Amino acid sequence: MHVWSDGVESPHDDMPEIYLFDRPIRYLNGNCIRHITGLSYLHHLNTLNLSENCIETLNPPDGSLDPGLAAATQLQTLILAKNRLRTKNDLQILSNLKNLTNLDLSKNQIDDVDALDVLVNLPELAILTFMGNPFVSKISPYRKTALSKLKSLTHLDERGVTERERKLVTAWTVGGIAGERVERKRWAERVATKHKEELQGNSL
């Protein structure tokens, strides 16, 4: 089901799911949703698109017994771009989604430099989109910091993480700029050696 720009204010249990390769998907982008509730019976929900809504926090409303997003334990893809999220606390419930592999939080209003810490314990997180949030410009260097904290990432802000970049980030995390400089030299030497061996192999 794709309910787009239909004035929906909250997800509901009675909204039917659509299935792609036997995986339930729910699209609710472009509505007026403020709180994420009504997911308790969607045990196999795989993908949830809530972009372009009015969500200010991912936590359930105060006093609510509804577990909210925490109920979607099988969720793998969550799209929350263009909402009104601001702080680390607004994102805290994401730490419960251990199967999450793809998360889009782009173009919110997140200005909390500790926001990345919420995602540290998500072992399957591979794709993260955080660009367009104020906090990104407050962290220097942002990309290295994000990759050093989130070691399972293969893509950050629509750009792939190469083996070389991962090694450089690891070296930077351990030894700072000096450590990164050493690893750059090692990498260049490995590339040169490999190239030389290939040339020698071709000449035989």
Side-chain angles (χ1 to χ4, degrees):
M1 181 187 65
H2 191 159
V3 183
W4 181 77
S5 294
D6 203 30
V8 176
E9 296 184 359
S10 176
H12 301 294
D13 291 336
D14 57 356
M15 287 181 174
E17 300 159 283
I18 63 171
Y19 287 78
L20 179 63
F21 302 115
D22 295 325
R23 295 182 177 182
I25 302 173
R26 180 166 289 193
Y27 294 93
L28 292 165
N29 51 305
N31 282 285
C32 306
I33 295 172
R34 294 180 180 277
H35 298 288
I36 303 175
T37 57
L39 302 179
S40 297
Y41 298 99
L42 304 178
H43 303 299
H44 302 292
L45 187 64
N46 176 271
T47 298
L48 180 60
N49 186 345
L50 289 168
S51 61
E52 298 181 73
N53 276 287
C54 305
I55 301 169
E56 296 182 356
T57 179
L58 303 183
N59 300 317
D62 290 341
S64 173
L65 297 179
D66 191 303
L69 197 56
T73 56
Q74 299 304 309
L75 201 60
Q76 294 183 13
T77 296
L78 178 59
I79 305 173
L80 290 162
K82 296 182 181 179
N83 275 284
R84 301 175 184 176
L85 301 167
R86 288 181 176 274
T87 69
K88 175 183 177 181
N89 185 61
D90 295 336
L91 309 176
Q92 197 63 53
I93 204 167
L94 291 174
S95 62
N96 295 310
L97 305 180
K98 302 300 183 182
N99 291 303
L100 204 61
T101 61
N102 185 352
L103 176 62
D104 187 348
L105 289 165
S106 62
K107 298 181 180 179
N108 273 271
Q109 300 167 21
I110 303 169
D111 58 3
D112 191 335
V113 295
D114 295 324
L116 287 169
D117 294 340
V118 176
L119 311 179
V120 168
N121 294 319
L122 298 182
E124 304 299 327
L125 188 62
I127 303 171
L128 175 64
T129 311
F130 242 142
M131 57 190 182
N133 283 287
F135 91 97
V136 170
S137 62
K138 294 181 179 181
I139 300 178
S140 181
Y142 158 70
R143 187 172 174 88
K144 287 181 187 176
T145 301
L147 292 179
S148 68
K149 288 177 178 287
L150 308 174
K151 295 176 174 55
S152 60
L153 288 186
T154 60
H155 290 77
L156 175 61
D157 292 337
E158 301 180 351
R159 180 176 142 200
V161 181
T162 64
E163 179 186 358
R164 177 178 181 271
E165 182 177 28
R166 179 58 73 184
K167 285 185 177 295
L168 291 176
V169 167
T170 300
W172 173 79
T173 303
V174 175
I177 295 176
E180 181 183 359
R181 190 179 296 118
V182 170
E183 182 56 38
R184 283 183 184 278
K185 183 178 179 181
R186 288 175 179 166
W187 186 270
E189 290 172 349
R190 285 194 293 267
V191 171
T193 299
K194 182 178 180 181
H195 181 62
K196 183 178 179 180
E197 291 173 349
E198 288 175 350
L199 289 176
Q200 291 174 342
N202 291 334
S203 65
L204 296 177

